């Protein structure tokens, strides 16, 4: 069943068409990776899905409801949560308090405390929970932000380049983290450049190029597609 159904969506910025007549379905329960060269329109498509931009044309359905004109906050209430490209944790506050702030929307008292511990452990941040978020490594800050997105217990989690700037070890751990909450039923749409990571997590892959869907399917099928290799994988297909 499609949890997200993007139908014929376009987004123009003046004379530039960043996203052009895109159809995309994300099935409930899958990890779906969106790949493509710089400027392909991936972040714009994410912003269209979460409502940060209105589309120029087309429609977006979430759980079979047309949400094209809904505000971002209403989409969050429906069960969407996003982690944008740059980490935006509260750097001057302790790690634990960052998680608490994110949980406050939904939980209080003992329930909040229990969920706080569960998330800190899941994120490998329990030992550093008293540190200021700004003192964490870049990778840990990304995990903290993923945790803040998870605190909303979304049905759909959108992650825009969650491993940017991470070491290979941190990247691998991030993949395992995503797989663990996907195993609990969360649907994940993730933009990534790192092919080893895509191989680790993706059940389906969509390639975007110049704002259009260029290919879709399993990673294996996509890697065999010479046109895809030409536009994109030739540069980054290192594994
Ligand atoms: N707010 C905006 N105003 C004008 N042009 C924009 C805006 N946002 C994106 N663009 C343009 O739209 C195109 C797609 O950009 P987008 O950031 O969606 O690509 P991307 O695939 O996410 O790239 P990257 O991998 O570098 O993050 C680019 O040409 C970009 O310059």
């Amino acid at each position: 069943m499609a949890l997200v159904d993007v139908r014929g969506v376009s987004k123009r910025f003046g004379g530039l068409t960043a996203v052009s007549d895109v159809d995309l379905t994300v099935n409930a329960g899958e990890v779906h990776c969106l790949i493509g060269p710089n400027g392909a329109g991936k972040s714009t498509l994410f912003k269209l899905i979460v409502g940060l931009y209105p589309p120029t044309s087309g429609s977006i359905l979430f759980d079979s409801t047309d949400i094209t004109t809904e505000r971002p906050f209403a989409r969050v209430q429906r069960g969407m949560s996003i982690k944008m490209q740059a980490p935006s944790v509260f750097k001057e506050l302790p790690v634990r308090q960052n998680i608490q702030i994110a949980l406050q929307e939904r939980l209080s008292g003992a329930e909040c405390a229990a969920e706080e511990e569960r998330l800190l452990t899941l994120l490998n941040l329990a030992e550093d929970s008293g540190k200021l978020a700004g003192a964490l490594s870049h990778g840990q800050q990304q995990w903290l932000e993923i945790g803040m997105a998870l605190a909303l217990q979304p049905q759909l989690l959108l992650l825009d380049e969650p491993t940017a700037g991470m070491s290979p070890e941190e990247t691998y751990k991030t993949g395992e983290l995503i797989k663990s909450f996907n195993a609990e039923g969360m649907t994940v749409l993730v933009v990534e450049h790192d092919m080893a990571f895509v191989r680790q997590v993706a059940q389906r892959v969509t390639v975007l190029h110049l704002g259009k869907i260029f290919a879709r399917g399993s990673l294996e099928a996509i890697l065999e597609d010479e046109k895809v290799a030409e536009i994109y994988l030739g540069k980054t297909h290192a594994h």
Side-chain angles (χ1 to χ4, degrees):
M1 194 209 92
L3 182 60
V4 180
D5 193 356
V6 173
R7 294 183 180 171
V9 162
S10 298
K11 180 66 186 173
R12 280 198 289 279
F13 296 109
L16 180 118
T17 304
V19 168
S20 177
D21 196 18
V22 160
D23 290 321
L24 173 75
T25 56
V26 181
N27 293 327
E30 74 175 344
V31 179
H32 194 124
C33 279
L34 189 59
I35 66 173
N38 291 335
K42 305 177 298 294
S43 296
T44 303
L45 183 56
F46 261 34
K47 288 175 185 163
L48 289 162
I49 293 172
V50 297
L52 292 171
Y53 291 146
T56 309
S57 58
S59 57
I60 300 171
L61 279 72
F62 183 69
D63 209 5
S64 306
T65 302
D66 192 325
I67 56 160
T68 314
T69 57
E70 273 188 3
R71 313 283 301 167
F73 182 66
R75 300 187 198 203
V76 170
Q77 284 186 323
R78 283 190 187 278
M80 280 188 193
S81 188
I82 185 166
K83 184 214 162 302
M84 311 280 271
Q85 230 170 59
S88 56
V89 295
F90 299 106
K91 290 189 178 192
E92 69 291 355
L93 295 178
V95 170
R96 182 178 291 280
Q97 206 174 333
N98 272 267
I99 294 288
Q100 281 167 353
I101 289 168
L103 283 171
Q104 266 166 15
E105 283 291 322
R106 198 169 57 80
L107 299 174
S108 58
E111 263 188 330
C112 184
E115 183 63 2
E116 197 179 298
E117 290 310 324
R118 191 186 77 83
L119 283 174
L120 287 168
T121 306
L122 182 74
L123 300 164
N124 276 320
L125 290 173
E127 275 181 25
D128 296 313
S129 64
K131 274 192 191 169
L132 294 185
L136 295 177
S137 71
H138 173 77
Q140 287 176 314
Q141 287 189 29
Q142 300 269 34
W143 291 334
L144 178 57
E145 197 169 0
I146 292 174
M148 292 171 76
L150 281 177
L152 299 170
Q153 274 208 330
Q155 267 181 282
L156 172 72
L157 181 64
L158 298 108
L159 300 170
D160 196 351
E161 297 193 29
T163 72
M166 283 187 180
S167 67
E169 197 196 345
E170 288 173 330
T171 298
Y172 178 77
K173 279 190 185 170
T174 306
E176 293 306 293
L177 183 63
I178 290 172
K179 279 162 65 174
S180 73
F181 47 74
N182 173 249
E184 291 173 6
M186 194 176 294
T187 306
V188 185
L189 178 60
V190 53
V191 166
E192 254 305 327
H193 284 292
D194 184 316
M195 280 305 124
F197 177 85
V198 173
R199 181 172 287 121
Q200 186 187 353
V201 302
Q203 288 144 24
R204 280 202 304 153
V205 177
T206 295
V207 185
L208 206 60
H209 180 46
L210 299 174
K212 291 191 165 73
I213 301 288
F214 194 73
R216 62 178 116 221
S218 68
L219 183 63
E220 290 69 33
I222 278 169
L223 290 174
E224 279 170 16
D225 186 332
E226 283 177 16
K227 285 185 301 188
V228 174
E230 238 170 70
I231 63 135
Y232 181 59
L233 302 173
K235 280 189 289 180
T236 55
H237 183 203
H239 303 278

